[in-house]
Amino acid sequence: MKKAFYTLFLFVLCVSCLMLCGCGADVVDYSKIYEKNAFRIIRQADNSGKIVVSYIFPVNSAILSEKGVSEEQIKTYRLFLSTYVNALAEQNKEKAVEGVSVEKVAYFSDVDGIGFSILFDNIEAQQNFFGNEPNQEEDKNQETQKPVQSGFFIKKTEIQTKFPISSVSSAKNLKQINMLALTSWAKFLNLSDISVFSGMFDESVFIYDYATKQTALKSDVCYDDANFHHNVFIKSEAEIENDNKISFFTVYPNTPIWYALAVGITLIGMIIVYFILKNKKSRKTKEK
């Protein structure tokens, strides 16, 4: 009986830990997280308060190769795309404030993209930087958050905020960088029709990767690597138009209920043990 009691208690404890530690999705689909045909914003914050925000534009090497583009021509397209992304990076560098620096344009091989990163010494520097330009999507992302509590044994607090790319026009502005590079590249190669290639952006998605050292904040798609806990949000242009909200949540035990349950289980266990011992004592007395 004692074994059954301890087994029940450990089972409840393990289930609670799994509920508290898990993400919203049962299985993480890494093919979607590392989708190559994606415009992505990656925000990483470490324990010191430093923040890195990266903007990455897709090269789509595999798609271009499938359409008959040679490796050398793909390298040329990467060069043109780097030029336009660099122009965007320079615009951000010009408006940098104290505590903000902009890194050089680089190729991100894991997602086959060209991008740049903005480094912030702290959250105040980030707010000052994006505060200079009210239309920036990163600034919009700080809008009203609405917590919603639910659950009985386990409490879940959900926080809704805007997807950083919060409108179709913003999504198209990002795509425009690639379209300009594609047009310049086509002219350089004397290609008369770029629609063969531009159509690939109709299938593009937009990815926001919110990475921190804290694992308490979760989302429907989240995972851990050696350095960060990642909450990932993926939307198509149509999904942005339909719903530009994203949700984070935290999960924690409903402490009063768990205390009451623990006390109840303990009392029941003690009563059961008491009667078992009493019955054993009675049997021994009768045997004598």
Side-chain angles (χ1 to χ4, degrees):
M1 186 63 72
K2 287 182 179 180
K3 287 183 179 179
F5 170 71
Y6 288 129
T7 301
L8 175 61
F9 181 78
L10 289 173
F11 174 75
V12 172
L13 183 63
C14 289
V15 170
S16 302
C17 290
L18 287 172
M19 292 179 70
L20 291 172
C21 297
C23 295
D26 293 331
V27 179
V28 177
D29 189 345
Y30 287 99
S31 65
K32 291 183 178 180
I33 291 174
Y34 289 98
E35 167 65 47
K36 301 296 192 297
N37 190 6
F39 296 82
R40 66 186 71 227
I41 297 176
I42 302 174
R43 183 187 187 276
Q44 296 180 338
D46 62 22
N47 289 333
S48 70
K50 292 185 178 181
I51 300 167
V52 179
V53 178
S54 302
Y55 298 87
I56 304 174
F57 299 80
V59 175
N60 285 325
S61 299
I63 296 177
L64 291 173
S65 181
E66 289 174 2
K67 294 182 181 295
V69 180
S70 69
E71 187 174 341
E72 286 301 315
Q73 290 173 327
I74 292 174
K75 288 181 179 179
T76 305
Y77 173 64
R78 278 174 52 180
L79 179 61
F80 277 102
L81 181 58
S82 297
T83 301
Y84 283 99
V85 173
N86 185 65
L88 183 61
E90 288 298 321
Q91 290 178 13
N92 283 274
K93 189 178 294 186
E94 288 174 3
K95 68 185 189 68
V97 296
E98 185 178 353
V100 178
S101 60
V102 180
E103 290 191 334
K104 293 181 179 180
V105 170
Y107 175 66
F108 293 76
S109 58
D110 56 338
V111 293
D112 187 32
I114 301 292
F116 66 94
S117 300
I118 306 176
L119 281 61
F120 304 93
D121 287 348
N122 47 52
I123 188 65
E124 289 77 15
Q126 181 189 10
Q127 291 171 344
N128 291 336
F129 178 80
F130 288 112
N132 291 342
E133 195 169 324
N135 291 326
Q136 280 284 348
E137 295 308 315
E138 186 72 20
D139 184 61
K140 288 182 180 179
N141 194 42
Q142 307 300 323
E143 292 186 2
T144 306
Q145 299 178 343
K146 300 178 180 179
V148 179
Q149 291 191 348
S150 63
F152 184 68
F153 289 107
I154 300 296
K155 282 287 188 180
K156 178 180 178 180
T157 301
E158 184 174 322
I159 305 170
Q160 281 195 344
T161 186
K162 280 188 177 181
F163 191 59
I165 306 160
S166 61
S167 66
V168 172
S169 62
S170 298
K172 291 187 182 299
N173 285 339
L174 289 177
K175 287 184 178 182
Q176 189 62 25
I177 299 292
N178 283 70
M179 288 302 300
L180 290 170
L182 193 64
T183 302
S184 298
W185 172 73
K187 287 182 178 178
F188 178 79
L189 296 179
N190 294 317
L191 301 176
S192 57
D193 184 15
I194 67 167
S195 61
V196 177
F197 308 106
S198 61
M200 62 186 175
F201 299 120
D202 294 336
E203 305 299 323
S204 296
V205 294
F206 300 85
I207 298 177
Y208 179 43
D209 186 334
Y210 185 91
T212 66
K213 293 289 187 179
Q214 306 301 319
T215 60
L217 195 63
K218 306 179 187 301
S219 61
D220 286 339
V221 179
C222 59
Y223 70 97
D224 298 309
D225 61 19
N227 300 307
F228 291 99
H229 172 72
H230 298 259
N231 289 295
V232 182
F233 305 91
I234 306 171
K235 288 182 179 288
S236 65
E237 193 172 307
E239 288 172 332
I240 291 172
E241 184 175 23
N242 182 56
D243 181 13
N244 66 356
K245 296 291 192 303
I246 56 176
S247 296
F248 295 92
F249 61 84
T250 56
V251 180
Y252 53 95
N254 190 347
T255 306
I257 297 298
W258 279 106
Y259 280 156
L261 181 64
V263 171
I265 291 175
T266 302
L267 287 174
I268 292 171
M270 290 175 66
I271 291 170
I272 292 172
V273 171
Y274 169 77
F275 280 109
I276 291 173
L277 293 176
K278 186 177 180 181
N279 288 336
K280 285 184 177 180
K281 188 176 181 180
S282 298
R283 288 174 185 174
K284 288 181 179 179
T285 303
K286 289 179 180 180
E287 289 175 357
K288 291 179 180 180

